[in-house]
Amino acid sequence: MTRLYDSRKRILVTGGAGFLGSHLIDRLIADGHDVLCVDNLFTGTKQNIDHLCSHPRFEFIRHDVTFPLYVEVDEIYNLACPASPIHYQHDPVQTTKTSVHGAINMLGLAKRLRCRILQASTSEVYGDPEVHPQAENYWGRVNPIGLRSCYDEGKRCAETLFFDYHRQHDLEIKVARIFNTYGPRMHPADGRVVSNFVMQALKGEPITIYGTGNQTRSFCYVEDLIDGLVKLMESPGDFTGPVNLGNPEEFAIRELAERVIELTGTRAGLTSAPLPADDPRQRCPDITLARTKLDWLPKTSLAQGLPRTIAYFRAVLTERGADDLNDWSYRPALPTAMGIRQGT
Ligand code: NAD
Ligand code: UDP
Ligand code: UDP
């Protein structure tokens, strides 16, 4: 439903051409807001926002958030940062700069404008956890010098900056700790587990299980996650988070593979590969805080979200064929009837 004009805001979404960012923008446009998307197109693509480009309430600026940005907005969602391990480890120094310098610049912008700012943090701040499920008061177990550290420590430092700007400059902040999220518009070649398994199954290739496959993750459908981010942004000013946003249904990676096999009917089976360094053994959010403070609960089970995601990747394969998909810059138009809102 479109909002009344007087509640319309100008909203900046950094990382808006990425997987989560583009869905967030669809939602904000559908809610009647003006959206400024800022992205350097490192892992995001113009195809993700193509459908918005002629929209009168949408604007795009190609810009790297590690450099200062002077614009006028009422609210900021800071999502800019590669999220898949193969992407964030490709140029780890740039990943840390994006999290840290990017946060400083966006916080400086929010400070000048006296506007609310939300940070897309991550369950990776808990590292390889000794506490299960993870609640927000757990401080985590993170290797500071490993291959994942550019992302984990970058995001931890960004949280520190958000809380210091809040305490020192009285800035209104919101920090979301996002757990594994999946759905249409994930890049088919981004290396994350859902896209890998589904693409392998659809191409008739064996599914690659890293390590034993007994490590666990919990998977949140994208639409639920976006709903959580918007609820957090709109929550009372004294609620800063950090707050976990994720689906508490926990699955062993091997179980995810079995579900993909069942839903796609692939006969290619499983193959094993070495477990990446510092791969967390288990991960599941305690979402009590989100439930009580935001009245938020994920509504989409894996049994509902996985078939929609498989349908999306099937459409991608039909559209482009298997050989074209390893290019990071390729992203298909979102097929209709995916249960995902396009901009109005
Ligand atoms: P994504 O890679 O699809 O999107 C990230 C976007 O940020 C891309 O469009 C990329 O081009 C842009 N970007 C990267 N560096 C930039 C820079 N220096 N300046 C401007 N733009 C830049 O990933 P995603 O899954 O959409 O993740 C979005 C955010 O959510 C990230 O901050 C990520 O850390 C966080 N997050 C995502 C998940 C998940 O499961 N998807 C889980 C935890 C946290
Ligand atoms: N900044 C920005 N846009 C603005 C205001 C600030 O990009 O509208 C950046 C600028 O690079 C600055 C950083 O945010 O260095 C932090 O700003 P802050 O005011 O906190 O500190 P400063 O470095 O200006 O003392
Ligand atoms: N994984 C896997 N096979 C793949 C890709 C990932 O077994 O082809 C495993 C990976 O080792 C990890 C889990 O799936 O244990 C989730 O990986 P992903 O990269 O999606 O996200 P993470 O939660 O590790 O950041």
Side-chain angles (χ1 to χ4, degrees):
M1 191 193 300
T2 302
R3 285 166 184 234
L4 293 175
Y5 178 78
D6 61 7
S7 63
R8 184 198 286 191
K9 291 182 208 140
R10 291 164 303 171
I11 302 179
L12 168 62
V13 178
T14 75
F19 164 50
L20 296 183
S22 61
H23 284 290
L24 174 62
I25 293 176
D26 283 348
R27 162 70 187 267
L28 297 173
I29 292 277
D31 282 354
H33 299 297
D34 282 320
V35 178
L36 174 60
C37 169
V38 164
D39 201 298
N40 69 350
L41 301 182
F42 173 48
T43 55
T45 68
K46 284 193 232 166
Q47 286 98 320
N48 272 346
I49 48 170
D50 253 359
H51 60 286
L52 293 164
C53 283
S54 58
H55 197 288
R57 284 186 277 109
F58 176 79
E59 272 179 286
F60 172 65
I61 301 179
R62 184 167 183 154
H63 173 82
D64 183 328
V65 294
T66 62
F67 296 99
L69 176 70
Y70 289 84
V71 291
E72 309 303 314
V73 291
D74 303 311
E75 228 168 47
I76 303 170
Y77 286 86
N78 187 36
L79 271 65
C81 187
S84 148
I86 58 166
H87 289 170
Y88 68 64
Q89 290 171 25
H90 170 77
D91 184 350
V93 173
Q94 172 68 10
T95 299
T96 303
K97 282 186 190 169
T98 294
S99 280
V100 177
H101 293 183
I104 292 173
N105 287 329
M106 292 310 104
L107 286 161
L109 174 63
K111 181 182 138 202
R112 176 175 63 80
L113 299 173
R114 301 310 306 165
C115 78
R116 201 173 263 205
I117 179 167
L118 179 148
Q119 167 69 357
S121 189
T122 168
S123 53
E124 292 282 330
V125 301
Y126 301 123
D128 189 6
E130 308 110 317
V131 168
H132 197 70
Q134 295 81 54
E136 292 83 352
N137 59 6
Y138 175 52
W139 291 355
R141 190 169 81 101
V142 175
N143 175 359
I145 56 168
L147 296 178
R148 294 174 86 103
S149 311
C150 58
Y151 184 74
D152 301 7
E153 296 289 20
K155 289 285 190 179
R156 285 169 67 97
C157 184
E159 286 199 9
T160 307
L161 285 160
F162 267 68
F163 278 84
D164 283 335
Y165 269 78
H166 172 63
R167 285 182 287 254
Q168 197 173 329
H169 299 299
D170 207 20
L171 209 59
E172 271 196 29
I173 61 155
K174 307 280 174 188
V175 175
R177 289 185 179 155
I178 302 170
F179 284 63
N180 299 61
T181 301
Y182 72 101
R185 281 195 204 142
M186 287 188 92
H187 195 289
D190 81 357
R192 285 187 265 192
V193 69
V194 174
S195 43
N196 265 15
F197 283 6
V198 174
M199 288 304 291
Q200 287 162 343
L202 294 178
K203 288 194 279 179
E205 295 168 2
I207 288 181
T208 51
I209 303 263
Y210 298 163
T212 60
N214 294 330
Q215 70 272 30
T216 68
R217 294 293 186 275
S218 55
F219 299 100
C220 188
Y221 191 63
V222 59
E223 208 170 17
D224 286 334
L225 193 276
I226 298 304
D227 195 45
L229 289 180
V230 171
K231 279 192 157 161
L232 174 59
M233 181 62 107
E234 292 178 351
S235 63
D238 61 353
F239 182 63
T240 57
V243 60
N244 291 339
L245 294 179
N247 191 320
E249 274 191 308
E250 186 180 358
F251 295 91
I253 291 304
R254 182 172 292 278
E255 210 179 334
L256 175 71
E258 283 158 7
R259 285 189 176 227
V260 170
I261 289 172
E262 196 183 309
L263 288 166
T264 57
T266 176
R267 292 174 179 207
L270 305 175
T271 182
S272 54
L275 190 68
D278 297 331
D279 198 277
R281 280 162 301 172
Q282 51 181 9
R283 191 185 283 155
C284 179
D286 178 333
I287 57 164
T288 312
L289 190 64
R291 242 187 17 238
T292 51
K293 291 285 188 183
L294 307 177
D295 191 24
W296 177 83
L297 260 186
K299 298 189 185 99
T300 316
S301 65
L302 192 64
Q304 294 166 312
L306 203 47
R308 291 186 208 168
T309 309
I310 291 171
Y312 168 76
F313 283 118
R314 212 186 281 283
V316 169
L317 267 173
T318 311
E319 194 185 317
R320 287 294 288 255
D323 294 338
D324 248 356
L325 299 176
N326 289 327
D327 173 9
W328 284 9
S329 66
Y330 169 64
R331 200 78 66 106
L334 186 68
T336 49
M338 287 290 118
I340 292 285
R341 235 183 291 220
Q342 295 273 13
T344 53

